[in-house]
Amino acid sequence: MKKTLLGLSALLTIGTASAQGAITGAGASFPYPLYSKMFAEYKGANVNYQSVGSGSGQKQILERTVDFAGSDNPMTDAQLKDAPGKLLHIPTAIGAVVPAYNLPGVSKPLNFDGPTLANIYLGKIKTWGDPAIKKLNPGVTIPPLPITVARRSDGSGTTFVFSDYLSKVSSEWKSKVGAGNSLQWPVGTGAKGNDGVAGVVKSTPGAIGYVELVYAKQNKLAYGAVKNRAGKFIVADNGPASKAAEGVVIPADTRVSITNSANAAAYPIASFTYVIFYQDQKYGSRTEAQAKALKNLLTYMVTTGQQYNEGLDYAKLPAGVANKAKNIINSMNYGGKKL
């Protein structure tokens, strides 16, 4: 039966894969601009993707109501253990999460470091005139507006990436809040999706929010440079985001964190974004043809589809990571039969 679902970034009319021959996915808003382009250009099948947040995508793949989930953080061992079948992860891009802000009259990108961002989100730094912010930005005139903290209200992989970074650079953040898709926030105005947080920042002088780079650019938001482990202030871009993965040991299952990279050229709040799917595609009413269609789509995403990454402010997969992803895709089967 056909039904209409409202995602955070688009209205999609979809049916089940078996009913319409479409491939369905749901999850992270972080890669939504990229996936929209990839799927519009893909000729192998119709693909419908709901931008509803990583947490919702993980829930839907566990319930087997979609063919694949999008998530900016890999699922935990405990989550995978509870799944009705073996779930696989493949990265499709590297993206950067940026501190976007609305400060009238400030034209130069502000500098931030991890402890300062943590203290803003802990509610300890309440105004833009705070000495910690001034110390990082000598010579910059910053209006002493109160800080409006914007954050996600939904289960979010972007939240996981940001809080994973803060947990690595602030012991207080790690002990009081920690890392996760959904958090007990000390302060802040909640909004759904990267686009929701961007909307709060855009409409509120004095606001700060964490969003994926493309959402800051699309909304013409100012965003700051962030001090990395080498002590360099780095402005997010494809190159610095890609550098975050260099020198990191990528496990065979590709589930890894690349925040706060030791690479001196790396932007520190960067992450792979993942597609999650079942290794054995024979479940429910799925056919072998549907399984092959999903395999073909996933192969396209880590090969030909990579041509769209950089134009939309995502970094391409490094060659070694792309090869690991292809190996994972090739392990898919249908009732034990290799696809």
Side-chain angles (χ1 to χ4, degrees):
M1 176 179 169
K2 183 185 286 187
K3 55 185 178 180
T4 301
L5 296 174
L6 181 61
L8 295 177
S9 303
L11 182 66
L12 300 174
T13 302
I14 71 170
T16 64
S18 59
Q20 290 190 322
I23 297 172
T24 60
S29 62
F30 184 103
Y32 180 77
L34 174 62
Y35 289 178
S36 295
K37 178 63 174 177
M38 281 186 174
F39 300 157
E41 298 295 333
Y42 184 59
K43 306 304 181 186
N46 293 323
V47 186
N48 292 309
Y49 182 77
Q50 300 172 58
S51 171
V52 291
S54 296
S56 180
Q58 292 178 8
K59 181 175 184 291
Q60 290 190 52
I61 196 66
L62 287 171
E63 295 172 348
R64 288 178 164 172
T65 56
V66 290
D67 297 313
F68 68 91
S71 179
D72 305 320
N73 61 294
M75 295 174 71
T76 65
D77 289 344
Q79 288 175 307
L80 296 178
K81 185 177 179 181
D82 289 339
K86 184 175 181 179
L87 284 168
L88 305 176
H89 292 66
I90 57 164
T92 56
I94 301 172
V97 177
V98 299
Y101 54 86
N102 182 341
L103 286 173
V106 177
S107 57
K108 180 182 177 181
L110 294 183
N111 289 332
F112 295 93
D113 62 14
T116 300
L117 287 171
N119 285 335
I120 289 171
Y121 274 81
L122 285 166
K124 297 176 70 175
I125 294 178
K126 301 179 185 296
T127 73
W128 287 101
D130 190 279
I133 297 175
K134 288 185 174 181
K135 184 178 179 180
L136 293 170
N137 296 279
V140 180
T141 301
I142 305 173
L145 291 170
I147 294 175
T148 297
V149 172
R151 43 84 173 173
R152 292 284 286 272
S153 59
D154 52 331
S156 159
T158 308
T159 293
F160 182 91
V161 174
F162 186 63
S163 60
D164 179 56
Y165 167 71
L166 294 184
S167 293
K168 292 178 179 178
V169 297
S170 167
S171 58
E172 184 175 3
W173 180 272
K174 183 177 181 179
S175 64
K176 290 184 176 179
V177 186
N181 291 66
S182 299
L183 303 172
Q184 294 296 318
W185 293 96
V187 293
T189 298
K192 290 185 178 181
N194 273 280
D195 45 356
V197 172
V200 172
V201 174
K202 189 172 186 177
S203 64
T204 312
I208 186 171
Y210 58 92
V211 294
E212 204 279 330
L213 176 61
V214 68
Y215 289 87
K217 288 191 172 184
Q218 286 180 346
N219 286 278
K220 295 181 172 56
L221 299 176
Y223 55 93
V226 182
K227 191 175 185 179
N228 67 11
R229 280 174 65 180
K232 297 181 179 180
F233 289 99
I234 305 293
V235 176
D237 205 347
N238 293 333
S242 181
K243 292 291 184 183
E246 291 185 11
V248 176
V249 177
I250 309 297
D253 67 3
T254 71
R255 294 187 299 149
V256 68
S257 168
I258 59 173
T259 59
N260 202 34
S261 170
N263 190 312
Y267 179 73
I269 321 179
S271 176
F272 289 114
T273 190
Y274 293 90
V275 166
I276 306 171
F277 53 97
Y278 285 96
Q279 183 176 48
D280 187 347
Q281 289 285 302
K282 188 175 183 180
Y283 57 87
S285 60
R286 293 177 66 76
T287 65
E288 187 172 355
Q290 288 172 298
K292 288 181 178 178
L294 178 61
K295 181 183 178 183
N296 291 340
L297 171 68
L298 299 177
T299 301
Y300 159 84
M301 293 177 74
V302 300
T303 55
T304 306
Q306 291 289 298
Q307 67 183 297
Y308 305 114
N309 288 33
E310 292 182 351
L312 291 167
D313 296 303
Y314 301 85
K316 292 181 179 180
L317 294 177
V321 177
N323 286 334
K324 288 181 187 291
K326 285 184 279 187
N327 289 338
I328 292 169
I329 294 166
N330 287 333
S331 76
M332 293 171 69
N333 67 78
Y334 186 78
K337 178 184 176 182
K338 186 176 176 64
L339 289 171

